[in-house]
Structure formats: structure tokens, C-alpha cells
Amino acid sequence: MNESSSRVAVVTGGAMGIGAAIAARLAQDGWRVVVADRNVDGTAPPGGRYVVCDVGDEASVAALARSLDTGEQRLDALICNAGFMIRKPIADLALAEWSSVLTTNLTSTFLLVRATEALLRAANGAVVTIASSRARMSEPNTESYSASKGGLVALTHALAVSLGPEVRVNCISPGWIATKGPQPAAEEHAFHPAGRVGRSEDIAALAAFLVGPASGFITGAEFVVDGGVTRKMIYPE
Ligand code: NAI
């Protein structure tokens, strides 16, 4: 491991949204951040590096890992954040669409961890996966997304057991985090026991804690960060 450089983190899907906030937070905290995203127009925070990478593609992930082997020569944190949703009635959902969601949201973490295991072990590193409260609850027509996120929660504890004690692996399951699109209405904020919809920075703060030394006894855990919504009992009026 290259001891002279700052700690190195890879943040997937870091071109925008929650991933960009995690990348910015880690950079602020002194990390060198490698952003890996399939968007060709993205940027990394100051001091970092941007890599165009499709995290569901084996060759693309292998190229990312090679660039770490020859470039930074260390990896202290891997944030598996890239993900997307297809909303479609199951009757209309093509197998290729189902597979694309599973590949980006779930298989990618297998590919990324397999490709970087040696660097992570050498650094006594940490992995954080970004699942969703939809791993446990659903709206209609979201089967592929919910299945992928449920799988990611399970993959997280399996990896924690296999990679410990050198590498800790934890999961954040966000609820509604306002990133793009119209801002939530007042009643949507009020619906949350915390009094507001989430912000990307809420997730970034926990991710920063989970890759830092203060969380050394935490592994295989899932943290639901949803303003209390999944704890709120709802019956018809
Ligand atoms: P976003 O759509 O704003 O950003 C996702 C980023 O991932 C984009 O930069 C996109 O280019 C990248 N990406 C997508 N597929 C990729 C691939 N195959 N390879 C590389 N990069 C890829 O999404 P957002 O809202 O920031 O969500 C981030 C993560 O958080 C996702 O995994 C999402 O499922 C999860 N999440 C988000 C919630 C929300 O309310 N925003 C709630 C619960 C979970």
C-alpha cells in the first residue's frame, strides 16, 4: 500500500445526486476520490479523478481496478452507489429490462468487490452499499428495483462475513432523498416523522462515518435513513 498518499475512495454513480454528495463530503474530509460513473460528462471533486465506467460491465470494472492498481495503488473505501429504477407493470417488463436493473444495482457490487478485494484488504478498508427502503416495502410496478435492493442488503452481510476482519461492509438504505425534479410539497415533508424529506447530504454524512475509524465495530449492518417513514404505521382513515 502507498502510505504516503491520502486515503482513497471510489464512489460509483458519483456524477450526480447522492453519489456526488458522498464524493464531495469525502473530498472535504481529505480523501482522494475516484468517481466512477457511466455518464461521460461528469466531474470529480477537487484532487480526485473521474473515470467513465459502467459498473455492470465486467470489462469496465476490470479497467477501473487496473487504473487503481497502477495509479493510486490503494483503496480504503468503496461506495457502491450507482443505481436506477424502471417502473413498469410486470406484464410489460422485458427480461432485458429486468436484467439491466439487477446488473447495475446488484451484480455491480459483486464485480467491484471482486476486482478490488486485494486493495481493500491491504488497506483494512470499508465498503458501503446504497440500497433502499424499497428493499422492504414497495409501490406497484417496481419489481426489478425492489428485488435488486433486497439482494444488495443480503449481499452486504455476506460480504461482511467473507471479507472480515480486514474489510468492513455496511449498507445504507435511503428513503426519499430529494435530488432532482420538483421539490417536495409541504405535506410531503410533513408526512415524514423527521419533518422533512431527505437530502443527499444526510446520506453522505452516514457514508463518511461508515468508512471512518469511529465505525470500526460496525460491519454487516443496514442503516435505514428515511426520516422515520418505514416506522410509521398507516391505516385508512
Ligand atoms: P441519480 O439518478 O441522481 O444518480 C445516479 C448516478 O448513477 C448517475 O450519475 C448515473 O449516471 C449513475 N449510474 C447509473 N447506472 C450506472 C452504471 N451502470 N454504471 C455507472 N454509473 C451508473 O440517483 P440518486 O437518486 O442519486 O440515487 C443514488 C443511489 O441511491 C441509487 O442506487 C438509488 O437506487 C439509491 N436510492 C436513491 C433514493 C432517492 O430517493 N434518491 C432512495 C433510495 C435509494
Side-chain angles (χ1 to χ4, degrees):
M1 182 175 39
N2 179 358
E3 294 288 357
S4 62
S5 59
S6 52
R7 293 177 299 170
V8 174
V10 166
V11 181
T12 73
M16 63 172 86
I18 293 171
I22 295 172
R25 170 61 194 260
L26 293 179
Q28 246 171 41
D29 290 354
W31 291 70
R32 173 171 165 81
V33 180
V34 177
V35 171
D37 198 296
R38 70 178 168 192
N39 184 338
V40 293
D41 295 326
T43 56
R49 179 163 73 89
Y50 190 86
V51 182
V52 177
C53 172
D54 178 348
V55 293
D57 180 77
E58 191 172 19
S60 194
V61 170
L64 169 67
R66 274 198 306 278
S67 81
L68 293 165
D69 285 335
T70 56
E72 288 78 11
Q73 297 177 18
R74 65 183 285 173
L75 182 61
D76 304 78
L78 170 63
I79 316 290
C80 299
N81 162 79
F84 77 108
M85 176 191 280
I86 296 177
R87 284 179 195 255
K88 258 192 185 183
I90 191 161
D92 301 333
L93 189 69
L95 176 58
E97 292 173 320
W98 164 274
S99 299
S100 69
V101 174
L102 270 287
T103 300
T104 288
N105 295 7
L106 174 60
T107 308
S108 58
T109 294
F110 153 66
L111 292 174
L112 286 156
V113 171
R114 190 182 62 173
T116 59
E117 180 182 355
L119 286 178
L120 285 167
R121 280 191 190 277
N124 283 117
V127 178
V128 174
T129 60
I130 307 294
S132 170
S133 53
R134 291 171 187 266
R136 290 202 175 62
M137 61 197 304
S138 294
E139 290 177 301
N141 307 325
T142 58
E143 279 72 18
S144 55
Y145 186 84
S146 292
S148 71
K149 296 300 190 177
L152 194 51
V153 172
L155 177 58
T156 301
H157 63 69
L159 288 170
V161 171
S162 299
L163 301 190
E166 289 89 2
V167 181
R168 296 180 300 106
V169 187
N170 290 294
C171 176
I172 302 174
S173 282
W176 181 359
I177 307 298
T179 52
K180 50 184 181 282
Q183 283 310 296
E187 61 267 29
E188 292 170 321
H189 286 297
F191 176 74
H192 289 67
R196 65 169 173 84
V197 167
R199 308 179 188 117
S200 297
E201 292 71 23
D202 295 321
I203 306 304
L206 180 55
F209 169 71
L210 288 174
V211 298
S215 59
F217 192 54
I218 303 174
T219 193
E222 181 199 5
F223 296 85
V224 176
V225 181
D226 69 343
V229 164
T230 51
R231 292 299 190 191
K232 183 170 173 175
M233 195 173 280
I234 300 169
Y235 288 114
E237 293 290 314

